[in-house]
């Protein structure tokens, strides 16, 4: 599977450039909505990415399934190179649509101890705010 389409790559790069510009001009760093979600199809590891630097380093929220999701950097090349049993690799969630700033996902994941559990809680909360629809 192609982990980054040209459109996703462009959105990630735009977020990186916006952050660099904010730092350079003394503005508050943006809190972008995640652009892409990666996951291990055979395990609990999940990543949300908001930025991509020119060297292929992503920034976002990583949850390797040990109960301590954290914000940080991870290498696109390492995600691509990871080989799992049955010839599988890390996948891109083609249905993912970021709905909250990264800080919201990070705080919910920290409280839940899991990004996957946090995503479910955020969906339920949003549905409740819309009146159960």
């Amino acid at each position: 599977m192609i982990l980054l389409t040209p459109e996703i790559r462009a959105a990630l790069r735009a977020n990186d450039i916006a952050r660099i510009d904010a730092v350079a001009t003394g503005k508050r760093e943006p809190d972008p909505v995640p652009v892409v979600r990666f996951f291990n199809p055979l395990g609990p590891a999940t990543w949300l990415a908001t930025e991509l630097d020119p060297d292929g380093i992503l920034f976002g929220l990583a949850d390797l399934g040990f109960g301590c999701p954290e914000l940080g950097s991870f290498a696109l090349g390492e995600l691509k190179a990871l080989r799992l049993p049955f010839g599988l690799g890390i996948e891109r969630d083609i249905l993912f649509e970021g709905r909250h700033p990264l800080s919201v996902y990070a705080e919910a994941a920290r409280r839940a101890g899991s990004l996957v559990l946090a995503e479910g809680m955020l969906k339920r909360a949003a549905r409740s705010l819309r009146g159960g629809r």
Side-chain angles (χ1 to χ4, degrees):
M1 162 175 267
I2 296 172
L3 292 183
L4 295 184
T5 65
E7 296 80 16
I8 292 171
R9 181 178 294 276
L12 291 167
R13 287 293 301 131
N15 285 343
D16 185 54
I17 291 165
R19 181 189 54 78
I20 291 168
D21 181 60
V23 170
T25 58
K27 296 178 185 168
R28 184 176 177 186
E29 288 188 37
D31 185 14
V33 171
V35 174
V36 63
R37 181 181 190 272
F38 303 110
F39 66 96
N40 175 344
L42 299 177
T46 308
W47 299 263
L48 295 180
T50 57
E51 299 174 29
L52 175 68
D53 77 11
D55 297 323
I57 304 299
L58 294 154
F59 180 81
L61 181 61
D63 182 0
L64 301 181
F66 302 121
C68 53
E70 60 184 49
L71 291 170
S73 299
F74 42 97
L76 177 60
E78 290 183 14
L79 291 180
K80 285 180 179 179
L82 191 58
R83 291 294 145 236
L84 304 169
F86 313 112
L88 297 173
I90 299 303
E91 298 280 335
R92 174 175 39 91
D93 183 344
I94 61 172
L95 300 178
F96 176 76
E97 289 183 37
R99 300 195 184 279
H100 313 282
L102 184 62
S103 63
V104 171
Y105 284 101
E107 180 61 19
R110 185 192 64 75
R111 289 180 184 212
S114 162
L115 176 54
V116 172
L117 292 176
E119 288 173 319
M121 290 177 359
L122 290 169
K123 284 180 186 175
R124 287 189 299 279
R127 191 170 32 243
S128 174
L129 290 171
R130 289 191 308 266
R133 289 179 259 150

